[in-house]
Amino acid sequence: TLLTGKTLVTTNEQPITSMKGASFKARLSQDGKALAFIRREGVNSNAQVWIKHDNLRAKQVTNGDSYYTSVIHGAKNQLFATRYNNLSERKCEIVNIDLITSKVNKVFDCAERALTFLAYKHDKQTLFFNYRNNVQSPFSIYSYQLLTERLQQLTFASNQGNVKGDYQLALSPNQDKLAILEYQNSSQAKLKILNLNTNEIRQSSGEFSYNSIITWFNQDTLLLSSDGGIKAFDTVKETLATVITNSEIGFISYSQVNKQLIFDKGETSVNLYQFALNEDQSRQAITNSSASNYHPNFANHSPAFVFLSTDSGKPAILINTGSETFETNFGDKISSFSNLSWSPDDQYIVGVINNQLYQFDVIQKTWSNLLPAQNNIHF
């Protein structure tokens, strides 16, 4: 669901990545063809920078002992990222990543133990980020000019009990304004708009959740994600409207070229395992998916089994023969399910789907409704 001008348009959510682990903080390049994001494969692994071009498979860009926390696009074949040396000391630095040579070079030290937000003004080759001199000082917004190496403080956050200060920022589509969130003692955030041409700062009258993530939808409208979903804020009229109600949405970024909203959304992975009771062996995974696989039912005379999967983004019934896995292509949307059972000769599978009794012919690979007049079958 997105705003188009002043119109609300509903679209379907489509996953961009479906890898195991956590993929987050994604941003599209200016031409909309490359998606850079942070990925952490497991609990004990370091988060690294990954990139995905169009319909190609995602590939890892960085490796090593550093823990990456954010990434943005710079010039062509260039990324800027922030990283910790480790998760205990959390010494932070901003780095430049060359996608052609894979070289990673330090640009500047970011604030120690800081979750740093980045923005990049292409025509001026200037980075913007939140920075503080020490952990007792509040964050302010700084700019860093790459050619001259000039560091300039753009905002001055209040010191009155506010150690977080100006902690988050987003650069407008015309790259002439910064939207800034300043922490308030009530765990709320105040929105400020910095005009980069005049250095004038205008404060909004409203307050938002401290957990909000901001991105520009157009030159006058911001999108904010928080615990309740996504809202649109008109910075001129100062009006707030709900766009998406969804508590699972985290970091967001909007692409001006593709008109797409990219966001994090947590999902659970469920895979099937097998364990031979009469042998001394460890359990073995029989599915390897980032989605959910469940309700396995083995055939009577072969290693084949039928199961439900959400790999495609919606429930589907699949069969694993031991050497391959194929979808049975049930015609309608699967809204409910209670059981699947093999016939004694393994030629058919009978299942209760959408409260009706269906049969799948394993040889012909076709579904048929056995009792079309009955709509209240449960098992």
Side-chain angles (χ1 to χ4, degrees):
T1 305
L2 288 180
L3 290 167
T4 304
K6 296 182 179 180
T7 306
L8 204 61
V9 177
T10 301
T11 57
N12 294 323
E13 294 180 3
Q14 297 291 335
I16 300 177
T17 63
S18 57
M19 298 179 290
K20 284 187 175 181
S23 300
F24 50 96
K25 293 187 176 177
R27 293 179 184 270
L28 278 168
S29 57
Q30 277 197 311
D31 61 9
K33 295 182 178 180
L35 183 80
F37 59 96
I38 306 296
R39 180 179 178 229
R40 189 181 187 186
E41 291 192 55
V43 176
N44 297 319
S45 61
N46 286 335
Q48 300 293 333
V49 175
W50 285 62
I51 195 163
K52 187 178 187 306
H53 292 280
D54 289 336
N55 297 321
L56 301 178
R57 292 176 63 90
K59 64 178 182 178
Q60 187 171 337
V61 176
T62 64
N63 53 55
D65 296 330
S66 296
Y67 188 101
Y68 286 81
T69 58
S70 66
V71 61
I72 61 171
H73 294 270
K76 186 177 181 180
N77 296 317
Q78 178 191 52
L79 299 174
F80 292 104
T82 58
R83 66 183 185 181
Y84 295 141
N85 61 331
N86 55 59
L87 289 180
S88 55
E89 294 178 304
R90 297 196 183 190
K91 292 182 179 179
C92 182
E93 62 182 10
I94 302 171
V95 296
N96 177 1
I97 303 172
D98 189 318
L99 293 174
I100 302 297
T101 64
S102 298
K103 288 185 178 180
V104 180
N105 296 311
K106 175 182 170 181
V107 175
F108 191 78
D109 286 320
C110 41
E112 185 178 347
R113 306 187 72 82
L115 189 60
T116 305
F117 289 84
L118 293 173
Y120 181 65
K121 186 174 172 65
H122 289 76
D123 61 343
K124 299 294 184 182
Q125 298 186 49
T126 299
L127 282 168
F128 301 95
F129 51 92
N130 53 309
Y131 182 75
R132 61 186 178 188
N133 292 317
N134 55 68
V135 294
Q136 284 77 36
S137 301
F139 285 104
S140 295
I141 303 302
Y142 283 73
S143 66
Y144 183 80
Q145 218 285 327
L146 296 174
L147 293 179
T148 64
E149 299 184 352
R150 182 193 180 197
L151 180 69
Q152 181 180 3
Q153 185 172 353
L154 302 180
T155 67
F156 296 84
S158 171
N159 271 308
Q160 298 180 354
N162 183 1
V163 294
K164 293 184 175 69
D166 297 331
Y167 65 95
Q168 192 184 150
L169 73 160
L171 186 63
S172 66
N174 291 351
Q175 301 197 340
D176 59 352
K177 293 186 292 187
L178 279 177
I180 301 164
L181 289 181
E182 180 183 7
Y183 178 77
Q184 305 296 293
N185 289 329
S186 58
S187 294
Q188 298 293 306
K190 184 177 288 293
L191 175 67
K192 302 188 291 190
I193 306 295
L194 169 63
N195 187 315
L196 294 174
N197 296 324
T198 64
N199 294 324
E200 175 189 2
I201 295 180
R202 179 169 57 87
Q203 293 197 10
S204 167
S205 59
E207 288 190 346
F208 306 93
S209 169
Y210 165 67
N211 295 321
S212 296
I213 301 294
I214 54 176
T215 185
W216 289 88
F217 172 68
N218 56 37
Q219 190 62 16
D220 295 321
T221 306
L222 282 168
L223 297 176
L224 302 96
S225 74
S226 61
D227 297 337
I230 297 178
K231 295 184 178 180
F233 182 72
D234 189 317
T235 62
V236 177
K237 299 178 180 178
E238 297 208 346
T239 55
L240 191 66
T242 298
V243 179
I244 300 176
T245 302
N246 191 322
S247 59
E248 297 179 343
I249 293 177
F251 184 89
I252 60 172
S253 63
Y254 185 70
S255 169
Q256 301 296 323
V257 175
N258 290 3
K259 306 302 179 186
Q260 291 181 346
L261 180 66
I262 312 296
F263 54 85
D264 303 345
K265 188 173 181 180
E267 293 183 343
T268 301
S269 297
V270 181
N271 281 290
L272 303 179
Y273 285 77
Q274 67 179 5
F275 184 86
L277 297 177
N278 60 345
E279 298 177 18
D280 183 18
Q281 66 178 35
S282 60
R283 64 180 183 177
Q284 295 179 345
I286 51 179
T287 63
N288 182 19
S289 166
S290 59
S292 295
N293 300 276
Y294 47 99
H295 288 298
N297 195 311
F298 275 96
N300 300 298
H301 306 288
S302 75
F305 63 94
V306 61
F307 66 103
L308 263 71
S309 174
T310 59
D311 269 5
S312 63
K314 58 183 180 180
I317 298 173
L318 278 67
I319 293 178
N320 183 304
T321 65
S323 59
E324 65 170 343
T325 300
F326 65 90
E327 187 171 331
T328 62
N329 295 315
F330 184 79
D332 297 328
K333 178 183 177 182
I334 300 176
S335 301
S336 64
F337 162 85
S338 61
N339 191 31
L340 288 171
S341 182
W342 292 79
S343 65
D345 59 2
D346 291 342
Q347 183 176 346
Y348 302 103
I349 296 171
V350 176
V352 178
I353 306 166
N354 301 340
N355 296 326
Q356 290 193 301
L357 188 64
Y358 286 90
Q359 175 179 278
F360 180 73
D361 189 316
V362 178
I363 298 175
Q364 300 297 327
K365 296 184 179 180
T366 56
W367 283 98
S368 58
N369 191 333
L370 296 181
L371 296 171
Q374 302 296 324
N375 294 295
N376 199 25
I377 300 173
H378 295 293
F379 191 79

